[in-house]
Amino acid sequence: MLDVVRKFPEQVKEALGIEFNFEIEREKIKNVVVAGMGGSAISADILSHFSSIPFHVVRDYKPPSFIDEDTLFIAVSYSGNTEETISCFSLAREKCPHVVITTGGKLGSMAKNVIKIPSGMQPRAAIAYLLFPMAKLLSSLGIMDLDFDEVVYLMESNRDRIEEIAKEVGGGIKGIPVIYGYGVMGSIARRWRQQFNENAKMHAFDFVLPECNHNELEAWEGGGDNITCIFLREKEEMDRIKARFDFMREEYEEKARVIELYAPGKSRFSRAIYHMHVGDMASIYMAERRGIDAEPVNLIMQLKNVLSQHSRSSS
Ligand code: F6R
């Protein structure tokens, strides 16, 4: 896993080079809906923060009822065999212009417009291929405006630094990691939580500001035993968010360990990708520290097998 994740800067470049030979009529698109699960869906969560039109991520068997011919429907599934995503796509494909991002599988054979990405990885480790072709497609349609060169530059020029920080964070976590972020960093906090769950096989939680200041904050009255807080911050964050984080740090530090991380980079997108990559690496170092093989996701696979037996016997 570490070797695959270390190649992230190269993967981003390769992913940006993936061509697609279909056309979507931009004038008709009024909203974007992306269906996916787990390591595939998180790519859309992150991108949703940069969209100039309504953007909805669905992790379910059914697409939202508002989809129509003005919706660009994207189904993203690394394997192409995830039942929720297939179900959503089946219900949406007659109604909307659509694109599928996958390595193949059933989904790959169901769609006309396919962005085919390289196979042989764990979905969560293939984030470059799940995120950047979607970002490129949406940018080519004028739905977002992202600086890809800056991301590549930032990732390439900070390799050692990212690895150092990740090692330090992975080594510094005591108990349960609880990750906090605002805006797109809220989605990155979710990614961190998922990576601690799947790579380090441990519980973790994520919270988004300012919402968590209206509920989770109060939990600290009851203490913070066995928790390490990770704040995903940006120097450029707005004053109100800075004030909230500062208040949280003072309160939480009395009861738990608080790690504050700042991302370099000119654009919010680059900073988000930077924080994401630090978290990906940190979760693998955490797995190493726990003596755990980060790669297999045995329980997820077991459940998928049980469900596929179930549908075979009931059909
Ligand atoms: C496994 C992983 C999972 C999968 C999820 C959906 O590495 O990240 O969260 O992404 O089970 O499967 P796919 O991505 O194949 O649709």
Side-chain angles (χ1 to χ4, degrees), residues 1 36-41 76-85 102-103 107 121-126 130 191 194-195 198-199 295-297 300-301 304:
M1 272 304 250
M37 300 302 298
S40 289
V76 56
S77 167
Y78 187 74
S79 62
N81 291 321
T82 298
E83 66 173 35
E84 300 93 317
T85 316
T102 186
T103 56
L107 207 53
M121 281 169 254
Q122 275 291 335
R124 61 192 185 283
L130 293 159
R191 166 73 175 182
Q194 295 173 340
Q195 293 289 74
E198 291 182 64
N199 288 336
E295 187 163 350
V297 278
I300 295 176
M301 296 320 289
K304 286 186 182 184

Side-chain angles (χ1 to χ4, degrees), residues 21-264:
N21 50 5
F22 51 80
E23 275 182 25
I24 303 286
E25 276 182 70
R26 168 64 181 107
E27 309 74 61
K28 289 182 76 182
I29 306 299
K30 303 234 168 17
N31 57 69
V32 178
V33 172
V34 184
M37 300 302 298
S40 289
I42 194 71
S43 58
D45 268 351
I46 296 167
L47 291 176
S48 69
H49 296 274
F50 301 95
S51 178
S52 58
I53 60 175
F55 193 118
H56 185 88
V57 184
V58 51
R59 293 173 163 90
D60 202 345
Y61 289 89
K62 285 188 197 150
S65 55
F66 66 79
I67 61 161
D68 60 18
E69 68 279 4
D70 297 333
T71 301
L72 172 60
F73 190 90
I74 303 177
V76 56
S77 167
Y78 187 74
S79 62
N81 291 321
T82 298
E83 66 173 35
E84 300 93 317
T85 316
I86 293 172
S87 161
C88 249
F89 182 69
S90 313
L91 295 166
R93 68 175 161 177
E94 302 297 331
K95 292 187 187 158
C96 322
H98 54 258
V99 175
V100 162
I101 301 174
T102 186
T103 56
K106 195 166 170 200
L107 207 53
S109 63
M110 284 166 76
K112 271 201 320 279
N113 300 340
V114 180
I115 300 180
K116 199 156 171 3
I117 56 176
S119 58
M121 281 169 254
Q122 275 291 335
R124 61 192 185 283
I127 187 74
Y129 301 102
L130 293 159
L131 191 150
F132 283 91
M134 194 190 308
K136 190 174 139 186
L137 169 71
L138 295 169
S139 299
S140 74
L141 295 171
I143 292 170
M144 46 191 67
D145 181 18
L146 302 170
D147 187 345
F148 299 127
D149 291 342
E150 204 217 337
V151 176
V152 172
Y153 172 76
L154 201 68
M155 291 300 113
E156 283 185 330
S157 55
N158 282 287
R159 274 179 209 272
D160 294 347
R161 194 174 142 71
I162 289 176
E163 189 133 358
E164 235 169 72
I165 297 170
K167 242 186 231 170
E168 223 177 279
V169 173
I173 291 170
K174 311 260 172 311
I176 297 174
V178 183
I179 309 112
Y180 300 82
Y182 164 70
V184 64
M185 298 311 172
S187 295
I188 301 297
R190 186 180 201 169
R191 166 73 175 182
W192 273 62
R193 190 262 297 158
Q194 295 173 340
Q195 293 289 74
F196 278 106
N197 294 157
E198 291 182 64
N199 288 336
K201 328 291 182 213
M202 65 190 287
H203 291 288
F205 297 94
D206 63 282
F207 290 101
V208 180
L209 278 75
E211 173 61 21
C212 66
N213 296 162
H214 298 267
N215 32 71
E216 189 265 354
L217 181 61
E218 212 50 40
W220 288 86
E221 285 279 25
D225 290 352
N226 210 29
I227 286 178
T228 298
C229 299
I230 299 160
F231 292 177
L232 301 180
R233 301 197 61 176
E234 299 170 86
K235 290 214 176 71
E236 299 75 2
E237 70 205 5
M238 56 194 254
D239 284 352
R240 309 302 292 168
I241 296 302
K242 185 179 173 330
R244 286 173 185 278
F245 266 130
D246 291 348
F247 180 91
M248 286 162 66
R249 191 188 52 240
E250 264 178 43
E251 281 301 314
Y252 298 6
E253 250 171 8
E254 283 178 17
K255 292 158 185 156
R257 171 136 207 250
V258 176
I259 301 174
E260 280 195 299
L261 298 175
Y262 284 87

